[in-house]
Amino acid sequence: MKLKANVLLIAIIAATGGLLFGFDTGVISGALPFLKQHWQLSDSSVEWITTTVLIGAVIGALGSGKLSDIIGRKRMIIINAVIFAVGAVGCAYAPNVTTLIVMRILIGVAIGITSFVVPMYIAEISPKRSRGALVTLNQLMITIGILASYITDYALSDDSNSESWRWMFLVGLVPAVILLVGMFFLPETPRWLISKNRVEEGKRVLEQVEDPELISSTLIDIENEVKQELQNKSSAMDIFKPWLRVPLMITIGIFFFQQFSGVNTIIYYSPIIFKMAGIVSNTESIIPAIIIGTVNVLACFLSILLLDRIGRRKLYIIGIWGMIPSLILLGACFHFKEALGASLPVFAVLSIVCYIIFIAISLAPLGWLLISEIFPLNVRGIGMSIGSLAHWAFNAIIAFTFLKLVNGLGIDVTFWCYAGICLIGAIWGYYYIPETKGKSLEDIEAFWRKNKDPRKL
């Protein structure tokens, strides 16, 4: 059955939050060489500027889970759009490093909230058969946002102007305004409305988005889930109940291996990495990042096509086993730097491209998709908040330690360490990654209540 046009439009507008997530994550990559030049920053200061947005994301993840359950998914996204807009302007006009750090923390708060509210919103408003693809649309928009930030960085970079970074940050105002305006015209999710006893409103939204033959059964499923929630009188501590331990372990585990594979060292530091490979110009060091960003978008688009066909579990296994040799080869490129000579940047780009393809069809979208599926309604906000917190905490550790590891161990050994972590992740994933393809959120909850092996879902 063909997907309703209004459902796709709703998902695209909401996923503009993902585009902002990607843009504000990636824009620092091209800005860093100019910031370093403009304020004569040390490697430690560069790591701090990069990491502050992640500290903000942790704050956003910590404080917003329960809030989204109280005020709704739609209002949370609108609030975030305002924060993104203020942060973009504040970064662009920052008179000193301290102000820039404060504004980056503010943007980080918005990113932390958006990283789970947007996929939650899309998951709760999507018809069951298309949920995987539509939630992964958010991941596609993240990759488009990252690519857009690289292209913007390149277009606005000027080696003769050390303040080129200001315009790079200001461009983030445009998608923030689009998200802010667009969200006013979108409905709240039927699951949230029904959970607040606004059943008729929830039913009307369901009629707009769900397949006609599934409306009645879906409405009954949601109402039963809400009744069960009221009977159980849930609290934040319910997330730690024994039957939810496995979903909680999956949430933290998948983000650990996603981040400790080193993916965001490439997103944040790619121009610096390619300067290590021999590229001198600030502007030219951004070009390989654009190539990598383009591949990232194409691979993510491929993942949208595959997730609801091949399934979550198979893609995880394929992806992580492809990431391991890619990272080993990347480390080898830098280990044999002198032998490769001027061809080093080419081989490094090829290794990174292979790595990006495999992670973009697996761990990158699966983290956000799985945490939007594996928790019951009464703790979904809290569960996704914990997932978002884990993501940003692990992300911050990687961002803050990358240059330290490179200076201490060498860039070759650093990437080999990431490969070793991926090997552990492949073994862990075999035992813990479930298959949620084609299953309703209510069916998934019922499975966890029986304390079954996640491989049998």
Side-chain angles (χ1 to χ4, degrees):
M1 186 179 290
K2 189 176 180 181
L3 182 68
K4 291 182 179 180
N6 66 312
V7 176
L8 183 59
L9 180 62
I10 288 169
I12 290 172
I13 293 173
T16 306
L19 188 145
L20 276 161
F21 174 164
F23 184 90
D24 284 308
T25 298
V27 71
I28 194 67
S29 177
L32 279 177
F34 292 98
L35 285 165
K36 192 170 183 178
Q37 178 185 340
H38 182 64
W39 281 319
Q40 299 298 305
L41 301 175
S42 64
D43 280 350
S44 179
S45 296
V46 168
E47 284 179 329
W48 267 113
I49 290 174
T50 305
T51 307
T52 49
V53 74
L54 307 175
I55 294 171
V58 170
I59 296 169
L62 270 174
S64 56
K66 197 66 178 176
L67 189 58
S68 72
D69 289 339
I70 295 170
I71 70 170
R73 303 7 174 168
K74 175 179 174 177
R75 288 194 187 96
M76 284 299 298
I77 297 175
I78 289 172
I79 290 169
N80 273 353
V82 174
I83 298 173
F84 273 125
V86 173
V89 175
C91 285
Y93 290 98
N96 50 52
V97 176
T98 302
T99 304
L100 179 62
I101 286 174
V102 171
M103 289 297 106
R104 290 285 289 167
I105 290 173
L106 185 65
I107 286 178
V109 171
I111 290 175
I113 299 169
T114 299
S115 63
F116 78 89
V117 173
V118 170
M120 183 197 299
Y121 177 89
I122 297 173
E124 291 184 358
I125 210 160
S126 298
K128 181 171 68 174
R129 64 182 176 82
S130 305
R131 189 179 64 237
L134 289 175
V135 172
T136 309
L137 176 64
N138 180 61
Q139 181 65 32
L140 176 63
M141 292 292 272
I142 292 172
T143 62
I144 290 172
I146 292 170
L147 176 59
S149 73
Y150 291 161
I151 294 172
T152 299
D153 287 351
Y154 180 73
L156 297 174
S157 64
D158 180 358
D159 285 335
S160 64
N161 178 14
S162 66
E163 292 192 87
S164 296
W165 56 270
R166 295 189 184 277
W167 289 102
M168 297 175 184
F169 286 124
L170 189 60
V171 172
L173 178 64
V174 177
V177 172
I178 292 171
L179 179 63
L180 178 62
V181 174
M183 283 305 300
F184 277 105
F185 297 94
L186 301 192
E188 182 54 87
T189 71
R191 279 182 171 82
W192 185 84
L193 288 169
I194 293 168
S195 74
K196 299 300 178 184
N197 293 319
R198 294 159 64 178
V199 178
E200 286 304 314
E201 289 179 68
K203 185 178 178 182
R204 284 197 294 270
V205 175
L206 206 57
E207 288 170 349
Q208 295 174 36
V209 298
E210 186 55 88
D211 296 332
E213 69 275 13
L214 295 176
I215 291 172
S216 296
S217 61
T218 302
L219 182 61
I220 291 169
D221 285 344
I222 295 172
E223 288 179 327
N224 288 338
E225 188 179 317
V226 170
K227 286 177 184 176
Q228 188 174 28
E229 173 194 353
L230 292 173
Q231 288 170 358
N232 294 338
K233 293 187 177 181
S234 64
S235 69
M237 295 306 294
D238 284 354
I239 197 76
F240 300 108
K241 284 184 175 180
W243 66 277
L244 286 172
R245 282 175 188 164
V246 171
L248 198 56
M249 287 175 67
I250 292 168
T251 298
I252 295 171
I254 195 167
F255 282 124
F256 175 84
F257 292 111
Q258 180 197 84
Q259 291 305 310
F260 279 81
S261 72
V263 60
N264 280 315
T265 62
I266 294 166
I267 302 300
Y268 302 141
Y269 296 112
S270 56
I272 292 176
I273 291 171
F274 286 107
K275 282 198 161 193
M276 294 176 187
I279 297 175
V280 177
S281 165
N282 287 342
T283 301
E284 289 180 6
S285 69
I286 301 173
I287 295 174
I290 294 175
I291 296 170
I292 293 163
T294 303
V295 171
N296 194 18
V297 171
L298 295 175
C300 188
F301 182 75
L302 178 62
S303 77
I304 292 178
L305 301 178
L306 296 178
L307 274 167
D308 283 327
R309 289 175 172 83
I310 294 178
R312 285 64 154 153
R313 181 176 170 82
K314 286 181 181 177
L315 276 181
Y316 178 94
I317 292 169
I318 291 168
I320 201 161
W321 280 109
M323 290 158 58
I324 294 166
S326 302
L327 286 167
I328 292 171
L329 287 172
L330 179 57
C333 287
F334 285 96
H335 188 74
F336 297 106
K337 181 177 181 178
E338 293 183 6
L340 290 173
S343 62
L344 171 58
V346 176
F347 284 102
V349 168
L350 290 174
S351 300
I352 292 173
V353 162
C354 289
Y355 167 76
I356 288 294
I357 289 172
F358 283 112
I359 194 168
I361 65 168
S362 58
L363 273 74
L366 281 175
W368 301 113
L369 174 57
L370 282 176
I371 69 169
S372 73
E373 295 179 321
I374 60 177
F375 289 107
L377 177 63
N378 62 314
V379 293
R380 190 167 298 142
I382 298 165
M384 293 186 72
S385 182
I386 289 172
S388 186
L389 171 62
H391 171 275
W392 293 115
F394 296 145
N395 195 334
I397 292 169
I398 288 296
F400 193 64
T401 58
F402 176 66
L403 294 179
K404 291 179 177 64
L405 288 173
V406 168
N407 292 331
L409 302 176
I411 191 167
D412 50 355
V413 177
T414 299
F415 284 119
W416 289 337
C417 287
Y418 295 151
I421 291 171
C422 286
L423 179 59
I424 298 170
I427 298 167
W428 174 85
Y430 173 78
Y431 290 100
Y432 281 98
I433 295 298
E435 184 52 76
T436 56
K437 180 186 74 169
K439 297 178 175 68
S440 73
L441 302 178
E442 292 72 30
D443 288 342
I444 294 169
E445 176 182 351
F447 179 86
W448 296 133
R449 287 183 179 275
K450 295 174 184 176
N451 292 312
K452 291 184 177 180
D453 185 333
R455 289 176 293 174
K456 296 179 180 178
L457 180 60

